[in-house]
Amino acid sequence: MGITNFRPLINRELLEKATQLTPKLIETEIRPQSLIKVHMGKTDWESSKISGVENINKKELRKGDSLCLDFGDHMVGYVSFDISSSVNLADAPAYLRLKFGESLCEIGEDSADYQGGLSSGWIQEEYIHIDCIPSRVELPRRYAFRYMELLVKDTSQAYSIKIDNIVCKAVSSADMRLVEKLKTDDEFLKQIDKVSLKTMHDCMQEVFEDGPKRDRRLWIGDLRLQALTNYETFKNYDLAKRCIYLFASLLLNEGKVVACLYVKPIATPGEVSLFDYSLFFISCLYDYYNATEDREFLEEMYPTALAQAEFASERIGEDGVVCDSDTWWCFLDWNDKLNKQAGAQAVFIYALKQLEVLAKTLRKDTKYINSLIKKLTEGAINKLWDEEKGFFTSGKDRQISWISQIWFVLAGVFETEKNIKLLERLEKVNPPVGMVTPYAYHHYIDALIQSGMLEEAKEKMCGYWGEMVKDGADCFYELYDPNDKKISPYGSRVINSYCHAWSGTPSYFIRKYFVK
Amino acid sequence: MGITNFRPLINRELLEKATQLTPKLIETEIRPQSLIKVHMGKTDWESSKISGVENINKKELRKGDSLCLDFGDHMVGYVSFDISSSVNLADAPAYLRLKFGESLCEIGEDSADYQGGLSSGWIQEEYIHIDCIPSRVELPRRYAFRYMELLVKDTSQAYSIKIDNIVCKAVSSADMRLVEKLKTDDEFLKQIDKVSLKTMHDCMQEVFEDGPKRDRRLWIGDLRLQALTNYETFKNYDLAKRCIYLFASLLLNEGKVVACLYVKPIATPGEVSLFDYSLFFISCLYDYYNATEDREFLEEMYPTALAQAEFASERIGEDGVVCDSDTWWCFLDWNDKLNKQAGAQAVFIYALKQLEVLAKTLRKDTKYINSLIKKLTEGAINKLWDEEKGFFTSGKDRQISWISQIWFVLAGVFETEKNIKLLERLEKVNPPVGMVTPYAYHHYIDALIQSGMLEEAKEKMCGYWGEMVKDGADCFYELYDPNDKKISPYGSRVINSYCHAWSGTPSYFIRKYFVK
């Protein structure tokens, strides 16, 4: 798997159905709350409030002057403002630099210092000329941000500028008014739920985006968790249906579901398929059917779901174990040290059990599916389970990681009693190959819940996501390690996504399991 | 005079007439001619051709790569191009830097080094993000350029970009097809005429702009020379009429004509009036009437013309001489050392003599005008003329400059015979306060012609403007000193205007006087 010879297989009929479901975005005008100063504190960038924004339009800005604005919350949208000049008309174009940041570090750091692995094109910084003054400046690009800095690179000796009516036209396909009020007095839980909803809201655009700052794209790993949360909150079933249609219509090569896809400028599959991500097409369909009982859609999508199991089965060896590889063939978590074999095996069993339910719903024959489940379960127990250590191992070095155990719990290879013991042992032994992303943490919480350990699940959830809330998160971050808060797999955290879909699942847990 | 307390006096009725005359711009698609390399030669920036542009769309451009294109001629317009990626879709925004230059120095120099006096906002350099790839990029701003450089600041590790179909939609309100073919075999004269026409063409937009790169504005000093040339070439009488209407409708304070005005974003007078420039409203009207015999318009504009003489008369002292000042009260030329008193006196007489003709045409009483001419002429001869030295002097230090003599020739204070001697003496003595701009040179050539010295005029014209042609000028420059070709009054020549209205008058001389 991994990077393939790109040969897209596009189903125009399904793509048209996806297009018909394109949501109309809800637009909301949001204005800055305060004028702030961003400075380096003892350990990190900090902000201090200078004033409200009532008198911003009185400030005369000359070359080198700047304004830093706090909009008070994260948002995704289009910024516009009025620019005028101190004299009647400006005798030269104004030249401005604009920075937009989800986090203070994006404002504080100098983009010229960026040496990260991802494109610096993601840095939300613009240099613009304004020829007509006074005028209204409407920035054409969409930004994901809470903070906005405007620096005057130049005006002329004859004039200074004034800025007024700064507005962000925030966009989302999620309607916050449709979300039920949370019936609890637990203020901390309410806070976590609020940040989770905001994360979901800002990622819900014309598709479920993974992150509205970066990559602004539909990844199926993110979609699965977003859709689950959506069914408990915004209930935008059409958006989920549209995204499943997109994955079913934009296939790769012989018919594999891709890891991610692009809607703009033209709908196209990404160039990579991943073992676990392709199988999650089954999960997405399973969850959607559970939420909607839309049998017609299930009928339409079932062949694509079944095909993913068939493709994945090609990887099963004689010993009933999924073949390992050194390439980027399976995701599971952002952890370079993680061996993926065991997790992949468990995800496969997990998805097949969902496929079996769907097959039964449609009164299809389940013999093939059952035989795969049996083969993979036996393979896992015979080859990956280490009875002595009490853990599933992965790869030729028999690595013991957190996520391997978690996924085997979710796959239901053992009975509940044995799973509880496995999860307790996991916490006690604490193997060094841990979890890195909220995406992995989601599956840990889910595994605890599926094993009936609701109190532990709630405690772990509040410990991890709650720590982000205590750190002042407006939305949940793509990456979060409470022990290393500046972590980035990209070489610089200015490129991290601070509002990320796969981190927005606390509302799912809270509303489905913790507050009934 | 100089900078005033700004109190515009706007005549909405006349402004509406000006608006009705707004020309529809002619659009022409122009494509680059060759791929070049810009490098520092022995004394200045040079370019060498790398190839044609046939295979530009095959070049894969990664971070740090660039393309430098030569469009083969100067133009004013809007640039667009196709961008595509080496892979199926780009996984991050492309980040590009674009430079547009009328001259090679604008491509070669690093804009970060600019320390000049005018706003760096005039430097034609953009940083742009492209979110959708493939797509067509349409740059919203207008550029004046021949050279375009595209530098890839970043793509991502996954893709390189390709650029194709680079087009400039060139705009002008001048129609080159309307210009009569020049009836001469003198190839050099033809070349000078061609560059002159191109200069005019590129400055003729919705108004006669002074320079399409900078200031892109209607200055009355430039307008007067542009209109004169236009009457001999493009014959766009409506554009001249529109510009005169604009000056008559956007007055300053009690009714003074301003030195320059803005059409966008809203029609507004500039904040400065200059002694000579206000008087040139009379000249503009005089020249327009001579070209069109539009008597109705003359009737309508006459009161504004007369008012300019009245305002100027307030400056006449008891001795019949215009009062001098250390402020920026009169233009004449871009020469800091120049004392303006004598030139101002001469311009006043020059304009009054035109006003007298207009008054007579309208059968108005000319007593007031005649008395002013008499007073100023006597003042000039009694107070400014130095019989011993044979020159007009200016200011308390009795400065002898080229431009003072030239304007007194044009004012016709002496008979032709004495003017010829004055001009011959001027060349022989060569006083150190010389001419700096083609604008000043224009008046020198005109003075020679008005004194019947056609051969000398042609020789001087070919010597000055012809030298620019030999230097490879596509258009005539705002500033040109054959002895110091990197001259700039702004602290850096990258901000100079290399296509400037007041330098485009050779076609006027050639077509009116040299080739009949």
Side-chain angles (χ1 to χ4, degrees):
Chain A
M1 284 197 166
I3 294 178
T4 57
N5 289 323
F6 184 69
R7 210 165 64 243
L9 183 72
I10 296 177
N11 184 321
R12 298 280 159 203
E13 197 188 321
L14 295 184
L15 185 57
E16 179 53 31
K17 289 186 180 181
T19 306
Q20 291 298 328
L21 290 168
T22 308
K24 191 170 154 36
L25 299 183
I26 299 164
E27 298 178 355
T28 318
E29 281 205 352
I30 300 177
R31 289 169 187 270
Q33 299 294 307
S34 53
L35 190 64
I36 60 168
K37 187 172 154 34
V38 177
H39 49 91
M40 180 49 81
K42 270 184 194 157
T43 60
D44 207 346
W45 294 100
E46 293 174 1
S47 71
S48 46
K49 182 173 169 175
I50 296 171
S51 70
V53 294
E54 311 78 50
N55 295 317
I56 274 189
N57 58 1
K58 303 214 171 50
K59 281 190 184 289
E60 294 209 1
L61 303 169
R62 293 199 166 267
K63 186 172 182 166
D65 291 343
S66 66
L67 286 179
C68 191
L69 299 161
D70 182 354
F71 278 69
D73 203 351
H74 187 276
M75 73 198 65
V76 179
Y78 300 86
V79 171
S80 58
F81 54 86
D82 291 332
I83 185 168
S84 61
S85 125
S86 55
V87 294
N88 201 55
L89 273 174
D91 64 347
Y95 189 37
L96 308 180
R97 188 190 71 192
L98 298 163
K99 278 183 165 194
F100 297 91
E102 297 184 312
S103 65
L104 290 171
C105 70
E106 292 159 79
I107 304 296
E109 306 277 342
D110 185 345
S111 63
D113 298 337
Y114 177 75
Q115 299 285 348
L118 293 185
S119 173
S120 60
W122 289 118
I123 296 172
Q124 300 183 124
E125 181 177 66
E126 308 288 353
Y127 289 86
I128 61 166
H129 289 95
I130 301 153
D131 293 312
C132 281
I133 301 174
S135 67
R136 183 145 191 93
V137 177
E138 311 218 2
L139 300 173
R141 300 180 75 219
R142 201 193 73 183
Y143 304 102
F145 71 105
R146 170 175 167 166
Y147 308 103
M148 167 181 164
E149 187 200 59
L150 181 151
L151 169 72
V152 180
K153 294 287 290 178
D154 215 338
T155 54
S156 84
Q157 290 171 354
Y159 78 99
S160 55
I161 56 164
K162 289 178 180 176
I163 302 293
D164 201 5
N165 285 321
I166 305 163
V167 173
C168 175
K169 185 182 77 185
V171 291
S172 170
S173 56
D175 188 343
M176 201 59 95
R177 294 166 305 181
L178 300 181
V179 180
E180 276 182 42
K181 199 165 173 289
L182 193 63
K183 295 182 196 76
T184 178
D185 295 328
D186 184 334
E187 288 303 323
F188 193 47
L189 220 52
K190 276 190 194 167
Q191 253 186 297
I192 294 172
D193 180 63
K194 190 182 160 201
V195 176
S196 178
L197 289 172
K198 183 69 173 136
T199 307
M200 280 293 296
H201 176 273
D202 285 2
C203 291
M204 286 169 74
Q205 302 293 336
E206 291 196 354
V207 294
F208 285 102
E209 295 184 12
D210 63 330
K213 175 177 123 185
R214 198 219 82 235
D215 308 324
R216 309 182 200 151
R217 211 156 56 227
L218 182 57
W219 286 88
I220 202 164
D222 298 76
L223 167 61
R224 175 170 149 261
L225 304 195
Q226 284 172 298
L228 275 174
T229 311
N230 171 50
Y231 303 144
E232 301 298 326
T233 55
F234 298 99
K235 302 190 201 305
N236 191 337
Y237 301 113
D238 276 352
L239 188 65
K241 190 174 186 174
R242 164 171 154 80
C243 291
I244 298 171
Y245 264 138
L246 284 168
F247 276 107
S249 62
L250 302 170
L251 298 167
L252 213 52
N253 303 336
E254 304 78 14
K256 258 178 207 151
V257 165
V258 284
C260 78
L261 57 82
Y262 299 76
V263 182
K264 284 178 183 174
I266 40 168
T268 311
E271 300 198 339
V272 172
S273 68
L274 295 164
F275 186 84
D276 50 345
Y277 272 34
S278 292
L279 287 166
F280 285 145
F281 184 85
I282 298 168
S283 306
C284 288
L285 184 59
Y286 175 85
D287 296 332
Y288 178 80
Y289 181 75
N290 278 349
T292 63
E293 297 188 356
D294 181 347
R295 195 182 169 94
E296 193 185 9
F297 184 63
L298 174 59
E299 290 264 17
E300 195 177 15
M301 292 293 110
Y302 183 80
T304 305
L306 178 64
Q308 303 318 305
E310 290 167 349
F311 286 125
S313 74
E314 293 169 10
R315 212 175 169 100
I316 307 173
E318 297 261 318
D319 54 359
V321 175
V322 160
C323 176
D324 198 11
S325 163
D326 288 335
T327 63
W328 195 55
W329 66 286
C330 180
F331 180 69
L332 298 175
D333 195 10
W334 259 137
N335 187 340
D336 286 343
K337 295 193 192 84
L338 178 67
N339 180 283
K340 313 286 178 80
Q341 187 185 37
Q345 179 98 359
V347 166
F348 198 178
I349 298 168
Y350 172 87
L352 284 167
K353 288 181 176 176
Q354 294 177 324
L355 188 64
E356 187 192 6
V357 175
L358 297 179
K360 281 182 181 160
T361 306
L362 296 175
R363 299 174 200 282
K364 307 259 184 195
D365 181 53
T366 59
K367 214 164 68 184
Y368 169 70
I369 300 169
N370 289 333
S371 73
L372 284 181
I373 294 173
K374 186 163 177 285
K375 193 172 183 181
L376 288 163
T377 305
E378 287 173 3
I381 292 171
N382 295 335
K383 299 291 173 185
L384 303 180
W385 177 250
D386 185 324
E387 183 63 37
E388 196 182 321
K389 292 187 173 147
F391 286 120
F392 286 93
T393 64
S394 184
K396 65 179 186 334
D397 297 333
R398 301 188 69 76
Q399 181 190 75
I400 294 167
S401 68
W402 276 72
I403 204 70
S404 300
Q405 318 313 315
I406 288 163
W407 268 112
F408 270 110
V409 170
L410 291 170
V413 165
F414 294 140
E415 296 298 305
T416 304
E417 204 58 30
K418 203 165 175 181
N419 279 340
I420 292 173
K421 291 229 164 70
L422 177 56
L423 287 167
E424 286 171 348
R425 196 180 307 120
L426 182 62
E427 191 175 7
K428 197 174 152 204
V429 176
N430 190 14
V433 182
M435 297 172 285
V436 172
T437 56
Y439 176 76
Y441 264 83
H442 168 92
H443 296 110
Y444 180 42
I445 307 300
D446 198 17
L448 290 168
I449 290 170
Q450 299 316 320
S451 308
M453 302 163 78
L454 258 76
E455 272 313 304
E456 290 87 342
K458 190 173 154 186
E459 189 193 313
K460 296 287 176 196
M461 186 199 77
C462 289
Y464 185 71
W465 278 272
E467 186 78 7
M468 276 192 259
V469 169
K470 286 178 190 162
D471 286 348
D474 307 302
C475 292
F476 289 124
Y477 314 153
E478 174 188 19
L479 298 134
Y480 189 68
D481 182 344
N483 302 312
D484 178 8
K485 292 182 178 177
K486 294 181 186 173
I487 198 171
S488 172
Y490 311 120
S492 166
R493 66 187 166 135
V494 304
I495 221 92
N496 286 4
S497 165
Y498 291 92
C499 168
H500 213 76
W502 71 21
S503 314
T505 58
S507 288
Y508 164 72
F509 293 125
I510 292 169
R511 287 160 183 270
K512 185 160 184 181
Y513 300 109
F514 303 150
V515 179
K516 296 301 286 185
Chain B
M1 283 199 168
I3 293 179
T4 57
N5 289 324
F6 184 69
R7 210 166 64 242
L9 183 72
I10 296 178
N11 184 321
R12 298 279 161 204
E13 197 187 322
L14 295 184
L15 185 56
E16 178 54 30
K17 290 186 180 181
T19 304
Q20 291 298 329
L21 291 168
T22 307
K24 189 170 155 36
L25 299 183
I26 299 164
E27 298 177 357
T28 318
E29 281 204 354
I30 300 177
R31 290 167 187 271
Q33 299 294 308
S34 52
L35 189 65
I36 60 167
K37 186 173 156 33
V38 177
H39 49 91
M40 181 48 82
K42 271 184 193 157
T43 59
D44 207 347
W45 295 100
E46 292 174 1
S47 72
S48 46
K49 182 173 169 175
I50 296 172
S51 70
V53 293
E54 312 77 49
N55 296 317
I56 275 189
N57 59 1
K58 303 215 169 50
K59 281 190 184 289
E60 295 210 2
L61 304 169
R62 294 199 166 268
K63 186 170 180 165
D65 292 343
S66 66
L67 286 178
C68 191
L69 299 162
D70 181 354
F71 279 70
D73 204 350
H74 187 276
M75 72 198 65
V76 179
Y78 300 86
V79 171
S80 59
F81 54 86
D82 290 331
I83 184 168
S84 60
S85 125
S86 55
V87 293
N88 201 55
L89 273 173
D91 64 348
Y95 189 36
L96 308 180
R97 188 189 73 192
L98 298 163
K99 279 182 162 192
F100 297 91
E102 296 184 313
S103 65
L104 290 172
C105 70
E106 291 160 79
I107 303 294
E109 305 276 342
D110 184 347
S111 63
D113 298 337
Y114 177 75
Q115 299 284 346
L118 293 185
S119 174
S120 59
W122 288 118
I123 297 173
Q124 300 183 124
E125 181 177 67
E126 308 289 351
Y127 289 86
I128 61 166
H129 289 96
I130 301 153
D131 293 313
C132 282
I133 301 174
S135 66
R136 183 144 191 93
V137 177
E138 311 219 2
L139 300 173
R141 301 179 73 219
R142 200 193 72 182
Y143 304 102
F145 72 105
R146 170 175 168 167
Y147 307 102
M148 166 181 166
E149 186 200 59
L150 181 152
L151 169 72
V152 180
K153 294 288 288 179
D154 215 338
T155 55
S156 84
Q157 290 172 353
Y159 77 98
S160 56
I161 57 164
K162 289 177 180 176
I163 302 293
D164 200 4
N165 285 320
I166 306 163
V167 174
C168 175
K169 185 183 75 186
V171 291
S172 170
S173 56
D175 188 343
M176 201 60 94
R177 293 166 305 181
L178 300 182
V179 180
E180 275 181 44
K181 199 165 173 292
L182 193 62
K183 295 184 196 75
T184 178
D185 295 326
D186 185 332
E187 289 302 323
F188 193 46
L189 221 51
K190 276 189 192 167
Q191 252 186 296
I192 294 172
D193 180 63
K194 190 182 161 200
V195 175
S196 178
L197 289 172
K198 182 69 172 139
T199 307
M200 281 293 295
H201 176 273
D202 285 1
C203 291
M204 285 169 74
Q205 301 294 335
E206 291 195 354
V207 294
F208 284 101
E209 295 185 12
D210 62 331
K213 175 178 122 184
R214 198 218 83 236
D215 308 324
R216 310 180 199 153
R217 212 156 56 228
L218 182 58
W219 286 86
I220 202 162
D222 298 77
L223 167 61
R224 174 171 150 261
L225 304 196
Q226 283 173 298
L228 275 174
T229 311
N230 171 50
Y231 304 143
E232 301 298 326
T233 54
F234 298 99
K235 301 189 201 306
N236 190 338
Y237 301 113
D238 277 352
L239 188 65
K241 188 175 188 176
R242 163 172 155 80
C243 292
I244 298 170
Y245 264 137
L246 283 169
F247 275 108
S249 61
L250 303 171
L251 298 167
L252 212 53
N253 304 334
E254 304 80 14
K256 257 178 209 152
V257 166
V258 285
C260 77
L261 57 82
Y262 299 76
V263 183
K264 285 180 182 174
I266 40 169
T268 311
E271 301 197 340
V272 173
S273 68
L274 295 165
F275 186 85
D276 50 345
Y277 272 33
S278 293
L279 287 167
F280 285 145
F281 183 85
I282 298 167
S283 306
C284 288
L285 184 59
Y286 175 85
D287 296 332
Y288 178 80
Y289 182 75
N290 276 350
T292 63
E293 296 187 357
D294 181 347
R295 195 181 169 95
E296 192 184 13
F297 183 65
L298 175 58
E299 290 265 15
E300 194 177 16
M301 293 294 108
Y302 183 81
T304 306
L306 178 63
Q308 303 318 305
E310 289 167 348
F311 286 124
S313 73
E314 293 169 12
R315 210 174 170 101
I316 306 172
E318 299 261 319
D319 54 359
V321 175
V322 160
C323 176
D324 199 9
S325 163
D326 288 335
T327 63
W328 195 55
W329 66 285
C330 181
F331 180 69
L332 297 175
D333 195 11
W334 259 137
N335 188 341
D336 287 343
K337 296 193 191 83
L338 178 67
N339 181 284
K340 314 285 180 81
Q341 186 185 39
Q345 179 98 358
V347 166
F348 199 176
I349 298 168
Y350 171 87
L352 284 167
K353 288 184 174 174
Q354 293 178 324
L355 188 63
E356 187 191 8
V357 175
L358 296 179
K360 282 182 179 158
T361 305
L362 295 174
R363 299 175 200 284
K364 308 257 182 197
D365 182 52
T366 60
K367 215 163 67 184
Y368 169 70
I369 300 168
N370 290 333
S371 72
L372 284 181
I373 294 171
K374 187 164 179 283
K375 191 171 187 183
L376 288 163
T377 304
E378 287 173 4
I381 291 170
N382 294 336
K383 300 291 175 183
L384 302 180
W385 177 251
D386 185 325
E387 184 62 35
E388 196 181 321
K389 293 188 171 148
F391 287 121
F392 286 94
T393 65
S394 183
K396 63 179 186 334
D397 296 334
R398 303 189 69 75
Q399 181 189 77
I400 295 167
S401 69
W402 276 72
I403 204 69
S404 300
Q405 318 313 316
I406 288 164
W407 269 111
F408 270 110
V409 170
L410 290 171
V413 165
F414 294 141
E415 295 299 303
T416 302
E417 206 57 30
K418 203 164 174 181
N419 279 340
I420 292 171
K421 291 232 164 68
L422 176 54
L423 287 168
E424 287 171 347
R425 195 180 308 118
L426 182 60
E427 191 174 8
K428 197 175 153 203
V429 175
N430 189 15
V433 182
M435 297 172 285
V436 171
T437 57
Y439 175 76
Y441 264 84
H442 167 93
H443 296 111
Y444 179 43
I445 307 300
D446 198 17
L448 291 168
I449 290 170
Q450 300 314 321
S451 307
M453 302 163 79
L454 258 76
E455 272 312 305
E456 290 86 344
K458 189 172 155 186
E459 188 192 316
K460 298 287 178 196
M461 186 198 78
C462 290
Y464 185 71
W465 278 271
E467 185 78 7
M468 276 192 257
V469 169
K470 285 178 191 164
D471 285 346
D474 308 303
C475 292
F476 289 125
Y477 314 154
E478 174 188 19
L479 299 133
Y480 189 69
D481 182 343
N483 302 311
D484 178 9
K485 292 181 178 177
K486 295 181 186 175
I487 197 170
S488 172
Y490 311 119
S492 166
R493 65 184 165 136
V494 304
I495 221 91
N496 285 7
S497 166
Y498 291 92
C499 169
H500 213 76
W502 71 22
S503 312
T505 58
S507 287
Y508 165 71
F509 294 125
I510 292 169
R511 287 160 183 270
K512 184 159 185 182
Y513 299 109
F514 303 149
V515 178
K516 295 302 284 185

